[in-house]
Amino acid sequence: MTVTAADLRERVRDLLAAHPPATTDRAAFLNARFDAGLAWVHYPEGLGGLGADPALQAVVDAGLAAADAPDNDPRRIGIGLGMAAPTILAYGTEEQKRRFLRPLWTGEEVWCQLFSEPGAGSDLAALGTRAVRDADGTWVVDGQKVWTSSAHLARWAILIARTDPDAPKHRGITYFLCDMTDPGVEVRPLRQITGEAEFNEVFLTGVRIPDSHRLGEVGDGWAVARTTLMNERVAIGGARIPREGGMIGRAAHTWRTRPELRTHDLHRRLLDLWVDAEVARLTGERLRQQLAAGGPGPEGSAMKLAFARLNQRISGLEVELLADEGLLYDDWTMRRPELVNFTGRDAGYRYLRSKGNSIEGGTSEVLLNIVAERVLGLPAEPRDDKDVPWKDLAR
């Protein structure tokens, strides 16, 4: 049966009548919303959705917002929603979907992503974290991950590890769901140029993962990881922001409130960036529609690349606009924020934080290769490691 907007409005009314937001516990309301199929309407029935057109999610969101109903704080659980959930939906068993999707969506369980490694650089497929199957079928994982957002808050992680060092680097990887509370998982803060430690290093020493927490086939982890990565780039580069939101909003505010700082050259450059920011915002909206219609394509890499470059240009202009004042920094106190705040604090913070945009979620160099090969159809870069076993690669 085709689900219509009218059907969803009726379901929202029924949910609000049975669970009035003013008198219902937040967690209870979110669980009831999930059970009503109003969490993500395009997901299957029984998994928080109704198999509806994803564009109809806006009908649900508007109805619940008008009633001041609690939401699931998507920013706080962005890795779970934007990366773990679509991968589990695409590759998970029915048991995995039913175990993980509900607490992921309600925010009862926070997720992180154990992909990047210090020894692999920008070549994620060169990862060296090993997973070896024990006699009882359990996987034993040893290695180190880095640049891990939310690891200090997470209950679960999506993890890729090498299970066949004799295979070429892209073919000997397997994808797992790792319990961050298990023995052998150690999380250490990684202090950044901003003074904060929103990222972490994660050390894995003899961590035991049951085979039931494997996602996809053994040795097929790279294909599974690509689903995660494409969703990640849309999640980072295509975040929904209002017109003149984000970095450009802060720079424009400074321009409007500090007329003594204005010059003709800065005015021209600010206008150029304002137009670029609006183009990026509308392109992000189109990418989200594409994502909802059937999955992200390689165009998400171009969006994330544009997001990084634009943030750095805008934050640089704002520091330049403020002249000596732009060189001041408010506070180097070590913090471990729960959320990344790209536009928070002062102009110096925004300038320094934007440097990380070129690294997180795929380096700009890697994304350029993806755009060249998979969007523009240009010849791939010459590679001498394509059919070489991982264990024989120079490191």
Side-chain angles (χ1 to χ4, degrees):
M1 184 183 76
T2 302
V3 178
T4 66
D7 296 332
L8 292 174
R9 292 191 187 96
E10 182 177 354
R11 283 177 175 267
V12 168
R13 285 195 295 272
D14 291 345
L15 174 67
L16 293 170
H19 305 276
T23 57
T24 304
D25 174 76
R26 177 177 179 275
F29 184 88
L30 292 176
N31 277 285
R33 178 176 167 181
F34 189 93
D35 290 339
L38 301 176
W40 30 38
V41 297
H42 58 294
Y43 271 45
E45 289 190 54
L47 298 176
L50 297 166
D53 184 332
L56 293 175
Q57 185 68 48
V59 174
V60 174
D61 293 345
L64 294 176
D68 199 24
D71 70 15
N72 60 342
D73 196 359
R75 289 191 60 214
R76 177 175 164 271
I77 55 175
I79 295 174
L81 291 174
M83 299 158 211
T87 313
I88 292 172
L89 183 67
Y91 287 94
T93 64
E94 286 306 308
E95 183 179 359
Q96 289 170 337
K97 294 173 188 175
R98 295 189 182 280
R99 162 61 187 86
F100 292 111
L101 290 179
R102 175 201 284 269
L104 182 158
W105 186 86
T106 61
E108 294 171 64
E109 293 179 345
V110 176
W111 285 70
C112 67
Q113 176 178 298
L114 298 177
F115 279 19
S116 297
E117 296 190 6
S122 60
D123 184 5
L124 179 60
L127 63 91
T129 291
R130 291 291 311 275
V132 178
R133 187 143 34 182
D134 210 350
D136 65 359
T138 302
W139 295 88
V140 182
V141 181
D142 290 277
Q144 179 188 354
K145 300 291 181 175
V146 74
W147 302 117
T148 311
S149 304
S150 303
H152 55 299
L153 306 167
R155 166 62 200 280
W156 290 97
I158 43 179
L159 162 73
I160 48 177
R162 188 159 304 282
T163 49
D164 184 0
D166 292 320
K169 62 181 182 181
H170 289 90
R171 283 184 247 154
I173 295 170
T174 302
Y175 199 115
F176 299 96
L177 308 177
C178 175
D179 187 339
M180 294 292 286
T181 66
D182 272 349
V185 178
E186 181 187 0
V187 179
R188 300 178 188 172
L190 189 62
R191 198 170 188 192
Q192 303 149 227
I193 192 173
T194 59
E196 296 181 330
E198 68 194 56
F199 296 106
N200 302 273
E201 295 178 290
V202 179
F203 295 83
L204 305 160
T205 307
V207 179
R208 299 182 66 82
I209 299 179
D211 193 54
S212 60
H213 287 178
R214 170 172 49 83
L215 206 60
E217 299 300 322
V218 174
D220 198 30
W222 185 251
V224 184
R226 284 178 59 179
T227 297
T228 304
L229 294 171
M230 286 191 290
N231 280 281
E232 178 183 29
R233 285 155 193 166
V234 174
I236 293 176
R240 177 171 280 125
I241 57 175
R243 185 171 180 170
E244 210 173 276
M247 290 277 193
I248 194 64
R250 301 302 298 265
H253 175 77
T254 301
W255 178 267
R256 292 190 179 106
T257 57
R258 301 290 300 276
E260 76 278 10
L261 301 173
R262 299 173 185 168
T263 68
H264 175 74
D265 177 63
L266 289 170
H267 184 219
R268 179 186 57 76
R269 291 163 57 194
L270 179 63
L271 287 177
D272 287 345
L273 289 173
W274 193 97
V275 172
D276 290 348
E278 187 63 5
V279 170
R281 185 181 73 84
L282 295 174
T283 305
E285 183 60 38
R286 174 149 188 184
L287 270 179
R288 284 189 294 277
Q289 293 173 3
Q290 177 184 332
L291 179 64
E299 296 82 1
S301 296
M303 189 68 235
K304 194 270 172 181
L305 182 65
F307 161 81
R309 291 179 168 179
L310 188 59
N311 270 359
Q312 290 165 4
R313 290 167 60 207
I314 295 172
S315 61
L317 179 74
E318 189 182 10
V319 168
E320 192 176 344
L321 171 63
L322 289 167
D324 292 349
E325 186 182 334
L327 299 178
L328 300 176
Y329 199 75
D330 58 352
D331 188 0
W332 290 103
T333 303
M334 162 79 162
R335 299 182 177 88
R336 305 204 76 195
E338 187 169 331
L339 294 172
V340 179
N341 188 358
F342 292 122
T343 59
R345 294 169 55 181
D346 61 8
Y349 172 84
R350 290 190 282 280
Y351 177 77
L352 294 178
R353 182 58 186 80
S354 70
K355 302 303 178 189
N357 295 157
S358 296
I359 303 172
E360 56 199 345
T363 66
S364 293
E365 290 75 14
V366 169
L367 300 184
L368 278 170
N369 275 345
I370 292 173
V371 171
E373 295 173 19
R374 301 180 57 203
V375 178
L376 301 178
L378 299 178
E381 284 192 334
R383 287 175 47 185
D384 58 7
D385 61 353
K386 188 172 181 181
D387 297 316
V388 179
W390 174 83
K391 64 181 177 57
D392 294 333
L393 294 177
R395 280 184 285 275

